[in-house]
Amino acid sequence: MTSPAGPPPTGSGDGEQKRLKLLAVTACPTGIAHTYMAAEKLAQAAESRGIEMKVETQGSIGAENVLDDNDVKHADGVIVAADKDVDLSRFAGKRVLTVGVSEGIRHPEQLIERVLSAPVHAEGGAPTAPAAGGGKERSLGYKALMNGVSYMIPFVVVGGLLIAISLSLGGHADPSGGLVIPKDSFWMDVNNIGVIGFTLMVPILSGYIAYAIGDRPALVPGMIGGWIANTGELYDSKAGAGFIGAIVTGFLAGYLVLWIKKVKVPKFAQPIMPIIVIPIVATTALGLFFIYVIGQPISWVFEHLTDWLSGMTGTSAILLGAVLGLMIAFDMGGPVNKTAFLFGTGLIATGNQTVMGMCAAAIPVMPLGQGLATLIRKRLYSEQERETGLASLFMGCFGISEGAIPFAAARPAQVIPANMLGGAVAGAVAGVAGVEDAVPHGGPIVAVLGAVSGVPMFFVAVVIGSLVTALTTVALVDLGERRRRGDAGFGAGAAGLEPAPAGVLSGGGGAVVEQTTVRATSGPGGTSAEVLSGYLTDGTVKVGLEAGDKEAAIREMAELLARTGKVADLDELVATALRREAQGTTGLGEEIAIPHAKTDAVTEPVVGFARSAQGVEWGSLDGTKARLVFMIAVPEAAAGDEHLRILALLSRKLMDAGFRERLLDASDRSALLQVLREVE
């Protein structure tokens, strides 16, 4: 046997023979069936050979059974069976074998043999690459952006809520202009803490974008670069570059560090490169580049933009309101927003309060609109995004436009245009109605405190603008998700079951696996046992599947689902399921198949189960015929988290060999339902 590189002895030191210890990581693009199937297969193969193995699964509910430093220290090799990027830096010095997740299902024994002669992973080596045919994976740039957003969100929420609370409880409208909190009051201290949160928000975004690209050496240049981008005084700009500048500095810092890492240096200098040399060089280069190259053009652009706005004062109020609304909504507290805001503020002193009225109506549209979008179409958003949406609604009421930044950073192509459209509508409505605002602030709070004239039309402008933003966002995000998933079935790749989840921020979001309820309801036939939240009942369970081939089996399963009255078009349901099969088999192996269809041929989600005595050829990964067949059908409108939840619950439970055996041994429908109740 080839001796693995690097690991220290794991025996007692008294001549005891060392037991081989292996680690594994399994992951598929959406972390549902294949993640756990590969983990099960690898663990079984290791156990049969007397090998100790710990498997980390990176599934839809997050990483489970996580490998710690002690596990890695004593490991003789690591198998990474994944169709998406997995961080290999923690395995430096160990033999690492990287393959697609399907290899973990098909050939676990071979992988255990191959890992003993796999190459030793060097520190700084590349992460795993997605396996061919394993499903489309997000780019490094997208993942880096999501990483920055995920770390930024708590700062947005904490800072925004503290400022909102301090304004609502401790602020008042000052006749000289402004929403004022007494300087020496308790509420000013609360406000200052919130301001610190907002101040840190931008460098945190930049720093963790850079960190995701260049690792720890990129964190310092990313954060300092973000601070510089947000501090306009450093490059003669009245308004900093805001979160857009932070995204730019984050990517510049990350890729600059990656480039510096490639420079060959003497061996004696290598230990100090990541902690001294790289951070200093990257921070200095990036900071000076932003100050001397990017900063000056920004200052020039915004000075001329302000002059242009001043020239529009005498033109159409509708056009001016639309332009100001577009600018306010573009970067939510960034330089374009501040340019328009400062323009309105400056005119208050001259007695012209209508321009500030247009700005005040547009300011809350972005957070209110994005918060409403998470309520209108919940399935398009992760649980964290929906929670952020509630906070965004609260911030919008107090005129804190930064509440929408997490959504804009996560989906700029969809969210920013929607924000701008809603902001333009709100500004235009306020302009044509002649709304005035006597204080340099926006949102419903200024109307409540009496700083706005024309209050009814002010609220009309805010409501219309927010609805336009919300509906446009939902339409654009939904369109983007449909294009990404494709038109066939659940959009799974050729590897099999995995669907593409809707609505990511992410850094890591996925379907939340909820506990399944089992209910008993009275019907015409008496008591009806319900499994999987009532989607599977005794009416959709069949003891003996009669079909002998896949197509006939799918039609028989569709007819089984039709008994519920939830199938509006049987032929279309069958056709959709077959189109899904053409994209890749839904046969998981272990005598299991889970055909599924996303189609409006069904009116509600419904699940059926049938058992085949002889088995049906399904093209399964392990070559077995399908004897346990589940069919899932959901309408288009319910194809978000719900089908992910059903798939996750089923696939995880079907990894249990005892559960599969009990299904095969059950004598009748009642016994089958008793076993199926274990799915939770």
Side-chain angles (χ1 to χ4, degrees):
M1 180 173 64
T2 305
S3 177
T10 57
S12 65
D14 299 325
E16 177 185 338
Q17 184 178 3
K18 173 186 170 183
R19 186 184 181 191
L20 195 64
K21 292 186 176 181
L22 297 179
L23 304 178
V25 180
T26 63
C28 51
T30 53
I32 307 197
H34 292 125
T35 296
Y36 303 105
M37 180 69 81
E40 176 84 0
K41 287 286 191 177
L42 286 167
Q44 289 175 352
E47 184 178 3
S48 68
R49 284 161 175 71
I51 297 172
E52 184 178 342
M53 175 179 279
K54 181 177 180 180
V55 185
E56 174 183 308
T57 55
Q58 296 186 5
S60 61
I61 59 173
E64 297 176 279
N65 205 30
V66 176
L67 307 177
D68 57 36
D69 291 343
N70 191 56
D71 295 324
V72 176
K73 178 181 178 182
H74 295 96
D76 296 302
V78 183
I79 299 170
V80 178
D83 284 343
K84 67 176 187 177
D85 290 347
V86 173
D87 181 13
L88 302 182
S89 61
R90 52 182 165 160
F91 304 135
K94 299 293 179 181
R95 294 191 183 276
V96 178
L97 176 66
T98 59
V99 296
V101 69
S102 62
E103 287 297 298
I105 299 172
R106 292 176 178 174
H107 310 298
E109 299 86 358
Q110 293 180 18
L111 297 184
I112 290 174
E113 295 295 329
R114 288 169 56 192
V115 72
L116 301 178
S117 57
V120 176
H121 181 67
E123 188 171 356
T128 60
K136 183 179 179 181
E137 178 60 11
R138 295 290 194 177
S139 66
L140 174 61
Y142 179 87
K143 292 176 182 176
L145 183 60
M146 293 302 99
N147 190 63
V149 170
S150 67
Y151 281 99
M152 177 187 71
I153 285 174
F155 290 85
V156 176
V157 173
V158 171
L161 293 182
L162 288 179
I163 291 173
I165 290 170
S166 65
L167 285 171
S168 63
L169 300 180
H172 60 83
D174 192 329
S176 62
L179 197 62
V180 177
I181 301 174
K183 289 185 178 180
D184 297 327
S185 69
F186 167 79
W187 293 113
M188 177 56 75
D189 294 332
V190 174
N191 182 272
N192 289 337
I193 295 171
V195 169
I196 291 172
F198 264 3
T199 304
L200 290 173
M201 171 187 72
V202 172
I204 288 292
L205 172 63
S206 177
Y208 281 97
I209 288 174
Y211 176 82
I213 297 171
D215 211 350
R216 287 181 180 85
L219 187 60
V220 170
M223 286 196 173
I224 293 178
W227 190 283
I228 292 171
N230 203 38
T231 309
E233 295 87 349
L234 294 174
Y235 45 94
D236 298 326
S237 174
K238 292 181 180 179
F243 88 96
I244 293 178
I247 292 174
V248 172
T249 56
F251 280 106
L252 286 175
Y255 285 108
L256 178 60
V257 167
L258 281 184
W259 178 78
I260 296 173
K261 283 181 176 181
K262 295 178 180 179
V263 177
K264 294 188 180 297
V265 297
K267 193 170 184 179
F268 71 86
Q270 291 177 1
I272 64 172
M273 288 293 290
I275 58 174
I276 299 177
V277 177
I278 293 177
I280 289 176
V281 172
T283 301
T284 305
L286 175 63
L288 293 175
F289 177 74
F290 203 93
I291 290 172
Y292 289 107
V293 179
I294 301 177
Q296 292 295 330
I298 289 177
S299 177
W300 182 88
V301 167
F302 291 117
E303 285 178 6
H304 285 74
L305 190 57
T306 301
D307 293 340
W308 175 65
L309 279 174
S310 298
M312 290 187 66
T313 304
T315 63
S316 167
I318 296 177
L319 178 59
L320 179 59
V323 170
L324 289 171
L326 286 170
M327 295 178 66
I328 289 289
F330 174 67
D331 54 0
M332 296 147 285
V336 177
N337 172 289
K338 287 177 181 174
T339 299
F341 182 79
L342 291 173
F343 175 66
T345 301
L347 291 179
I348 291 177
T350 68
N352 183 345
Q353 299 178 357
T354 56
V355 173
M356 194 63 226
M358 302 173 196
C359 295
I363 284 170
V365 162
M366 299 80 73
L368 291 176
Q370 296 306 321
L372 284 173
T374 65
L375 298 178
I376 293 172
R377 292 294 294 276
K378 292 183 178 181
R379 74 173 185 85
L380 295 176
Y381 296 90
S382 67
E383 183 178 359
Q384 183 185 36
E385 286 178 309
R386 291 194 291 268
E387 291 173 357
T388 303
L390 294 176
S392 180
L393 286 170
F394 188 77
M395 291 185 212
C397 292
F398 292 93
I400 301 173
S401 57
E402 287 87 346
I405 286 179
F407 299 98
R411 298 183 177 95
Q414 290 84 26
V415 170
I416 292 178
N419 284 347
M420 293 174 68
L421 182 59
V425 169
V429 172
V432 75
V435 173
E436 296 184 351
D437 181 13
V439 300
H441 197 75
I445 183 65
V446 294
V448 172
L449 294 175
V452 170
S453 65
V455 172
M457 286 307 298
F458 172 79
F459 278 107
V460 168
V462 170
V463 170
I464 293 176
S466 300
L467 287 173
V468 168
T469 289
L471 295 175
T472 305
T473 299
V474 166
L476 292 176
V477 172
D478 192 37
L479 179 62
E481 290 298 325
R482 288 175 184 272
R483 285 178 176 174
R484 183 171 64 83
R485 290 198 302 263
D487 295 327
F490 288 123
L497 180 68
E498 264 54 50
V504 162
L505 189 252
S506 172
V512 177
V513 180
E514 305 170 1
Q515 185 174 2
T516 299
T517 57
V518 179
R519 303 191 297 269
T521 60
S522 296
T527 300
S528 173
E530 297 183 348
V531 184
L532 288 170
S533 301
Y535 300 142
L536 189 152
T537 69
D538 56 357
T540 58
V541 172
K542 193 169 187 177
V543 177
L545 189 66
E546 299 171 2
D549 60 69
K550 183 196 293 191
E551 183 172 348
I554 286 176
R555 176 164 290 278
E556 189 173 340
M557 292 298 298
E559 291 170 351
L560 182 65
L561 300 186
R563 295 179 183 177
T564 63
K566 299 175 182 178
V567 177
D569 188 334
L570 179 64
D571 291 337
E572 179 58 27
L573 173 58
V574 172
T576 303
L578 291 174
R579 285 195 297 269
R580 168 59 191 85
E581 291 295 329
Q583 297 294 311
T585 180
T586 57
L588 298 184
E590 298 286 3
E591 301 181 311
I592 302 164
I594 310 182
H596 43 273
K598 179 186 68 175
T599 173
D600 287 332
V602 295
T603 57
E604 295 179 42
V606 59
V607 180
F609 168 73
R611 189 176 63 190
S612 172
Q614 70 276 15
V616 178
E617 180 56 53
W618 218 280
S620 299
L621 294 174
D622 61 358
T624 59
K625 291 185 176 182
R627 296 184 62 198
L628 304 174
V629 181
F630 289 86
M631 186 168 184
I632 304 170
V634 295
E636 289 277 357
D641 290 345
E642 193 60 16
H643 79 275
L644 285 173
R645 186 178 74 85
I646 297 170
L647 285 166
L649 288 166
L650 279 177
S651 59
R652 287 176 66 89
K653 189 60 182 176
L654 287 167
M655 297 308 100
D656 182 350
F659 176 73
R660 298 194 301 268
E661 184 139 350
R662 288 191 292 277
L663 282 177
L664 291 170
D665 292 342
S667 57
D668 53 26
R669 182 183 299 171
S670 177
L672 279 172
L673 278 167
Q674 190 63 33
V675 177
L676 289 168
R677 287 176 183 172
E678 298 176 24
V679 181
E680 58 180 38

Coordinates of all heavy atoms in Angstrom, one line a residue, residues 114 174 231 245 263 326 341 385 399 471 491 557 575 612 635:
R114 N -7.7 5.2 -4.8 CA -7.0 6.2 -5.5 C -6.5 7.3 -4.6 O -5.4 8.0 -4.9 CB -7.9 6.9 -6.6 CG -8.2 5.9 -7.8 CD -9.3 6.5 -8.7 NE -9.0 7.9 -9.1 CZ -9.9 8.7 -9.7 NH1 -11.2 8.2 -9.9 NH2 -9.6 9.9 -10.1
D174 N -36.3 71.2 13.0 CA -35.7 72.5 13.4 C -36.2 73.5 12.4 O -36.1 73.3 11.2 CB -34.2 72.4 13.4 CG -33.5 73.6 14.0 OD1 -34.1 74.7 14.0 OD2 -32.4 73.4 14.6
T231 N -14.6 57.9 1.7 CA -14.1 59.2 2.3 C -13.7 60.1 1.2 O -12.6 60.1 0.7 CB -12.9 58.9 3.2 OG1 -13.2 57.9 4.1 CG2 -12.5 60.2 4.0
G245 N -18.3 52.1 -4.9 CA -16.8 52.2 -4.8 C -16.3 51.1 -4.0 O -15.2 50.6 -4.3
V263 N 4.0 36.1 -7.8 CA 5.4 36.5 -7.9 C 6.3 35.6 -7.1 O 6.1 35.4 -5.9 CB 5.6 38.0 -7.4 CG1 7.1 38.4 -7.4 CG2 4.7 38.9 -8.2
L326 N -34.3 59.4 -10.1 CA -33.3 58.4 -10.7 C -32.0 58.5 -9.9 O -31.4 57.5 -9.6 CB -33.1 58.7 -12.1 CG -34.2 58.4 -13.1 CD1 -33.9 58.9 -14.5 CD2 -34.3 56.8 -13.2
F341 N -29.1 64.9 -3.4 CA -29.5 65.3 -2.0 C -29.0 66.7 -1.7 O -29.7 67.5 -1.1 CB -29.1 64.2 -1.0 CG -29.6 64.5 0.4 CD1 -30.9 64.2 0.8 CD2 -28.7 65.0 1.3 CE1 -31.3 64.5 2.1 CE2 -29.1 65.3 2.6 CZ -30.4 65.0 3.0
E385 N -32.9 36.9 3.3 CA -33.3 38.0 2.5 C -34.7 38.5 3.0 O -34.9 39.7 3.0 CB -33.3 37.7 1.0 CG -32.0 37.5 0.4 CD -32.0 37.1 -1.0 OE1 -32.7 36.1 -1.3 OE2 -31.4 37.8 -1.9
G399 N -36.8 57.0 6.1 CA -36.0 57.7 5.1 C -34.5 57.2 5.0 O -33.6 58.0 4.7
L471 N -42.9 45.7 -7.8 CA -43.4 44.9 -8.9 C -42.3 44.7 -10.0 O -42.2 43.6 -10.6 CB -44.6 45.5 -9.5 CG -45.8 45.6 -8.5 CD1 -47.0 46.3 -9.2 CD2 -46.3 44.2 -8.1
G491 N -35.0 22.2 -14.2 CA -33.7 22.8 -14.6 C -32.5 22.0 -14.2 O -31.4 22.6 -14.0
M557 N -47.8 6.7 -12.8 CA -47.6 7.6 -11.6 C -48.5 8.8 -11.8 O -49.1 9.3 -10.8 CB -46.2 7.9 -11.4 CG -45.3 6.8 -11.0 SD -45.7 6.0 -9.4 CE -45.5 7.4 -8.3
A575 N -45.9 14.7 -20.3 CA -44.9 15.2 -21.2 C -43.8 16.0 -20.5 O -42.6 15.9 -20.8 CB -45.7 16.1 -22.2
S612 N -42.4 -1.2 -7.2 CA -42.4 -2.1 -8.3 C -41.8 -3.4 -7.9 O -40.6 -3.4 -7.4 CB -41.6 -1.5 -9.5 OG -41.5 -2.5 -10.5
P635 N -47.0 23.1 -9.3 CA -47.3 24.2 -10.3 C -46.2 25.2 -10.4 O -45.4 25.3 -9.4 CB -48.6 24.8 -9.8 CG -48.6 24.5 -8.3 CD -47.9 23.2 -8.1

